[in-house]
Amino acid sequence: MSRLLDACETTVSPSYRLFGLVDTTMGAETFDDDADRSKWLLPGPGLVYLQVPSEVVTTAIRLESWTTSPALTPSQWAGYEEVEVYLPEGELGLQTVDGGLTEIPLVLPSPGTYRMRWQWVFNPDTGPFTSPLPGCSGVLATPGGHEAALGGEDQFCLVRIWRTAVTGRLEHETPLGQCSHLRSQPLPQVLQA
């Protein structure tokens, strides 16, 4: 059974339609040059960046550290992706191009390979929001039910992180199809493993 180890909440102001979660000891400031820009998450060694719509000024973010893969939340989300990344020290910060690095007080059990589940939603009162992904156009879905978590901000992200037994540099997966963010739908039940 999965247990919540630690959590923290903060806000970030994306710049250049990006913000990242990074291992503070890496010194890396960007994702891989060959990162698939048709995905919302752009991984790199010791970091993951989320692409956001240009209309997003401030994002409320909740980061959670878990013992194992947590159950999926039953809520509707505008987007969902998972990524696996090696964190050499496990000390995290949020990074933007303009704002630099801000350390966060989230405690991870140890350095190593972690799986991250990113889920996000946009504020229907401050939109509309358009996709930052190449080849995708149209207004993004803004499912309800997240008003308290949004707290009046443009976007809310829930990031759940857990240590994996897998070793290796990097693996990326997008369970929902490219551009699936244009409609609101429940998360697939098969991903609850």
Side-chain angles (χ1 to χ4, degrees):
M1 175 180 228
S2 189
R3 274 185 313 127
L4 179 64
L5 297 173
D6 194 24
C8 72
E9 295 180 357
T10 189
T11 59
V12 63
S13 293
S15 57
Y16 297 93
R17 298 180 322 182
L18 297 167
F19 72 87
L21 183 60
V22 303
D23 189 299
T24 60
T25 60
M26 282 299 292
E29 295 186 7
T30 188
F31 43 87
D32 289 336
D33 287 338
D34 61 347
D36 184 353
R37 292 177 190 263
S38 69
K39 309 288 186 198
W40 286 84
L41 294 178
L42 304 173
L47 58 82
V48 178
Y49 273 82
L50 174 67
Q51 298 188 81
V52 300
S54 59
E55 299 88 356
V56 171
V57 175
T58 307
T59 298
I61 186 167
R62 177 174 169 87
L63 299 135
E64 299 177 346
S65 173
W66 289 80
T67 55
T68 59
S69 177
L72 295 171
T73 59
S75 305
Q76 295 284 320
W77 296 88
Y80 164 88
E81 284 187 14
E82 287 191 16
V83 66
E84 193 164 277
V85 64
Y86 179 75
L87 301 172
E89 292 297 325
E91 296 176 18
L92 299 177
L94 288 170
Q95 183 164 317
T96 64
V97 176
D98 290 338
L101 180 69
T102 303
E103 290 188 27
I104 55 173
L106 186 73
V107 175
L108 297 179
S110 63
T113 302
Y114 284 84
R115 189 93 180 156
M116 296 182 188
R117 179 182 301 141
W118 291 64
Q119 297 168 275
W120 57 91
V121 67
F122 303 103
N123 190 335
D125 296 331
T126 62
F129 299 95
T130 55
S131 177
L133 305 183
C136 296
S137 61
V139 174
L140 298 171
T142 54
H146 300 277
E147 291 76 14
L150 279 160
E153 306 297 356
D154 299 315
Q155 181 181 30
F156 169 66
C157 289
L158 173 61
V159 181
R160 292 180 159 176
I161 305 168
W162 63 95
R163 184 105 155 85
T164 64
V166 178
T167 59
R169 187 171 158 269
L170 186 66
E171 177 186 324
H172 185 260
E173 171 187 335
T174 304
L176 301 177
Q178 174 189 13
C179 298
S180 64
H181 60 279
L182 296 176
R183 62 191 183 283
S184 178
Q185 57 182 258
L187 295 175
Q189 295 297 317
V190 296
L191 296 176
Q192 294 186 13

